[in-house]
Amino acid sequence: MSDAQLTLLRHGKSVWNQENRFTGWVDVDLAEAGRQEAAAAAAAMKQAGLHFNAAYASHLKRALATLWVVLEEMELMWLPQCSDWRLNERHYGALQGLDKTETTQKYGEEQVRQWRRSYAVPPPPTTEAYTTAAGIVAPASESLKDIIPRVQEVYQQRIVPLLQQQQSVLIVAHGNSLRALMKIIEGISDEAIMQVEVPTATPHCYRLDSKLQCVDKTILNRN
């Protein structure tokens, strides 16, 4: 029995990544540099001989645009694609839209590090309730721990059945939703996940056995 293949890809650099702002659920687009990163990631995956049976992305345009660039560059535009809000970035609450450097100057480096990298500490909540265009009620704020259930749910419901058939799946999402997936797949501890960084448009390729345990992980160099 052959192994299943799962590739996780964070979106390319967004406009707000370039401006050093907290983004979360704000639906900003890719920067031109992000589109170039996505094309480079596609070239790296193509060179590595990757081929996919299905592709998933969040509801946010920076992830969807990255996926579309990748599929076009890999000549896989025909591939079955699905967008699921449960793969969205975590909601950064009242920090969304703020400059990261200015926020650090105001609240201190350690506090901002806790908001950005800790497992269970959420950013301060927003008081501006809203519903997305797809009808999803946005949370007020989320920690990494808060998004584990939704990421686990979409993984079990939609991705696992494909992997159990030894299919190859591509997921394009965000730094924190991918950290959540990595925690689930690799069994990373609450403490160790604080040190995990997910660079933009850098493919993380997993080979999973029949029990969907990770037997190999490769991070491709898109340069």
Side-chain angles (χ1 to χ4, degrees):
M1 181 179 294
S2 61
D3 294 326
Q5 304 283 336
L6 176 63
T7 299
L8 307 182
L9 182 68
R10 184 182 172 193
H11 61 81
K13 187 175 294 183
S14 73
V15 174
W16 277 15
N17 288 144
Q18 283 192 334
E19 295 177 2
N20 198 34
R21 297 166 72 181
F22 289 99
T23 309
W25 279 37
V26 181
D27 203 11
V28 301
D29 206 349
L30 285 182
E32 180 56 35
R35 295 181 188 278
Q36 294 173 5
E37 287 181 338
M45 290 188 284
K46 196 170 183 178
Q47 184 174 12
L50 295 183
H51 186 84
F52 303 110
N53 301 107
Y56 282 78
S58 75
H59 273 189
L60 300 172
K61 67 175 68 173
R62 57 193 186 274
L64 288 164
T66 299
L67 174 60
W68 296 338
V69 170
V70 165
L71 295 183
E72 182 172 12
E73 293 290 329
M74 295 185 73
E75 300 181 356
L76 293 173
M77 295 294 286
W78 51 268
L79 200 70
Q81 304 165 40
C82 180
S83 176
D84 196 302
W85 75 270
R86 292 171 292 183
L87 293 170
N88 280 11
E89 177 61 288
R90 70 184 177 103
H91 197 291
Y92 266 96
L95 299 185
Q96 292 189 162
L98 299 184
D99 181 277
K100 293 176 183 177
T101 300
E102 293 175 359
T103 303
T104 300
Q105 292 170 348
K106 180 176 181 179
Y107 294 101
E109 185 174 340
E110 178 57 28
Q111 177 63 77
V112 173
R113 189 185 73 84
Q114 286 291 318
W115 286 335
R116 295 188 66 190
R117 288 286 170 255
S118 73
Y119 178 60
V121 178
T126 180
T127 57
E128 299 177 0
Y130 65 95
T131 301
T132 69
I136 307 302
V137 177
S141 178
E142 291 178 303
S143 66
L144 182 61
K145 182 179 179 180
D146 292 331
I147 74 169
I148 289 283
R150 63 170 162 93
V151 173
Q152 176 84 55
E153 186 177 69
V154 68
Y155 180 67
Q156 291 293 334
Q157 289 180 357
R158 312 196 78 162
I159 311 302
V160 164
L162 299 175
L163 298 175
Q164 288 173 333
Q165 299 172 37
Q166 291 80 53
Q167 294 195 27
S168 181
V169 181
L170 171 64
I171 299 177
V172 182
H174 308 267
N176 284 294
S177 52
L178 293 182
R179 287 172 72 216
L181 272 171
M182 290 173 179
K183 190 176 193 305
I184 292 164
I185 295 164
E186 300 180 45
I188 301 172
S189 70
D190 298 354
E191 295 74 25
I193 198 65
M194 293 179 66
Q195 309 305 320
V196 174
E197 296 275 356
V198 185
T200 55
T202 301
H204 289 59
C205 309
Y206 293 86
R207 186 161 55 87
L208 308 173
D209 64 19
S210 60
K211 295 182 180 179
L212 301 188
Q213 299 298 306
C214 178
V215 295
D216 184 63
K217 177 184 178 181
T218 302
I219 301 176
L220 299 181
N221 185 347
R222 59 174 164 79
N223 297 320

